[in-house]
Amino acid sequence: MKNLSNENIIHIEKDGIQYLQFRKLLEYKDIIKHAYSLGTEMNFRTGRAKNAEKLSKEDFNRAIQDYKKLCGAINENYIDVVKVIQEHTNNIVCINNKINKNKPDISMTEYTGKDGMITNKKGLVLSTTNADCILLLLFDPITKTIANVHSGWKGTLQRISVKAVEMMINDYNCKPQNIICCMCPSIRKCHFEVGIEVKEMFEKEFQDLKISESKEIMEKQLDNEKWNIDTVQINKIMLKGIGLKEENIIDSGICSVCNCDLVHSYRIEKQEYGLATAIISLKN
């Protein structure tokens, strides 16, 4: 079996399912639980994909069963899952309690157009999903605050990772130097290629970072009007800029396209793409 473990992550197979955990977050296993799903046979899509056929009831129920399996693997209850309806915004919601009592908070209108969640309450399993986009798991061990944020290229342009940290500081009395940020598998510079319109959007938004001056961040293809952009590196720079310590920004180092046999990728799977999930919770 292919193993994605490296210095920052552990690839686990348990009860017939696979998932990743961050070594840094496992240092706080008495406080938090977390996992990132692996395997394209698991699919956490619980809503209709853009330009795709309507999700069937059977597909929805299968996703719920996959939540049950993944949560069970880390000794969490899938009923406690809270899932935002992501729309590539920079909207983040603070969550204090479940809405449903006997089923997960999935496909809830209250969470439409939200791409991040923050809480300091136990009994909530925060879930975001991706198929190439960056998922960020944030944790402050001092205030015991967690966040789960979805940052695709549009969310990166809107600096949603910075907004999440700002909310943790302002609403939960967190200090940036205490916050740990773990970056799940996502598309990397090697495969994230864009045309001139998107390239110019990045140049305009990140003038302060001077990304066009760094080939490590933005690089033009030799014989093509295409550019490869490192959105992971951009997020790292922004997070350091708001006060996170470099050693507390933990990257899985996994490209979803390069590892599409284990990680869902929109670029590979196209319109019928599946979704992986990252979950994080405060231990009861």
Side-chain angles (χ1 to χ4, degrees), residues 73 79 96 237:
I79 289 174
N96 293 315
I237 293 170

Side-chain angles (χ1 to χ4, degrees), residues 61-251:
N61 289 337
R62 177 181 174 180
I64 297 300
Q65 290 304 311
D66 284 341
Y67 270 113
K68 187 180 293 187
K69 293 174 186 176
L70 184 63
C71 288
I74 62 170
N75 297 314
E76 271 292 4
N77 192 335
Y78 81 102
I79 289 174
D80 295 328
V81 166
V82 179
K83 170 71 176 70
V84 285
I85 300 176
Q86 301 160 198
E87 294 183 352
H88 299 278
T89 70
N90 68 346
N91 299 324
I92 300 170
V93 60
C94 297
I95 298 179
N96 293 315
N97 53 265
K98 285 280 301 331
I99 297 173
N100 294 317
K101 290 186 177 179
N102 299 313
K103 60 181 181 179
D105 286 352
I106 293 176
S107 299
M108 307 294 291
T109 56
E110 290 88 343
Y111 299 138
T112 299
K114 310 295 183 184
D115 283 82
M117 298 166 281
I118 306 174
T119 193
N120 59 2
K121 306 297 182 183
K122 297 179 180 180
L124 299 169
V125 179
L126 307 184
S127 167
T128 54
T129 51
N130 75 336
D132 288 335
C133 295
I134 304 169
L135 301 183
L136 307 169
L137 298 178
L138 297 108
F139 170 56
D140 180 354
I142 305 303
T143 63
K144 296 181 175 58
T145 303
I146 56 173
N148 195 339
V149 176
H150 164 255
S151 180
W153 68 265
K154 292 179 181 178
T156 296
L157 278 173
Q158 297 173 80
R159 305 190 185 223
I160 190 173
S161 59
V162 172
K163 184 175 180 181
V165 172
E166 289 174 341
M167 289 179 66
M168 291 176 74
I169 293 168
N170 296 328
D171 298 343
Y172 294 88
N173 298 314
C174 299
K175 294 181 179 179
Q177 62 266 30
N178 296 329
I179 296 174
I180 298 165
C181 178
C182 293
M183 310 178 80
C184 297
S186 65
I187 194 169
R188 304 289 160 138
K189 182 191 172 191
C190 53
H191 285 97
F192 184 56
E193 64 172 35
V194 302
I196 191 167
E197 289 185 2
V198 174
K199 172 251 189 185
E200 289 178 347
M201 291 169 66
F202 272 84
E203 284 182 321
K204 182 179 179 180
E205 175 59 34
F206 299 116
Q207 292 182 47
D208 56 322
L209 306 184
K210 300 179 180 179
I211 62 173
S212 59
E213 298 178 14
S214 171
K215 283 190 175 182
E216 289 185 1
I217 299 176
M218 179 184 289
E219 186 171 8
K220 187 181 183 302
Q221 296 179 5
L222 290 177
D223 301 313
N224 201 349
E225 285 298 302
K226 297 282 187 180
W227 286 259
N228 288 76
I229 299 177
D230 192 337
T231 54
V232 172
Q233 186 64 22
I234 290 172
N235 274 281
K236 289 180 181 179
I237 293 170
M238 289 193 294
L239 290 166
K240 284 191 283 187
I242 199 172
L244 269 70
K245 295 179 179 178
E246 186 169 2
E247 61 265 30
N248 283 340
I249 303 172
I250 315 298
D251 182 12

Side-chain angles (χ1 to χ4, degrees), residues 30-69:
D30 292 335
I31 303 175
I32 60 170
K33 299 178 182 180
H34 78 287
Y36 177 84
S37 65
L38 288 178
T40 54
E41 70 279 0
M42 297 187 78
N43 187 351
F44 294 85
R45 208 164 99 188
T46 53
R48 183 177 62 82
K50 191 174 183 180
N51 302 322
E53 294 297 324
K54 187 175 182 180
L55 194 74
S56 70
K57 184 177 180 180
E58 290 76 15
D59 289 335
F60 180 88
N61 289 337
R62 177 181 174 180
I64 297 300
Q65 290 304 311
D66 284 341
Y67 270 113
K68 187 180 293 187
K69 293 174 186 176

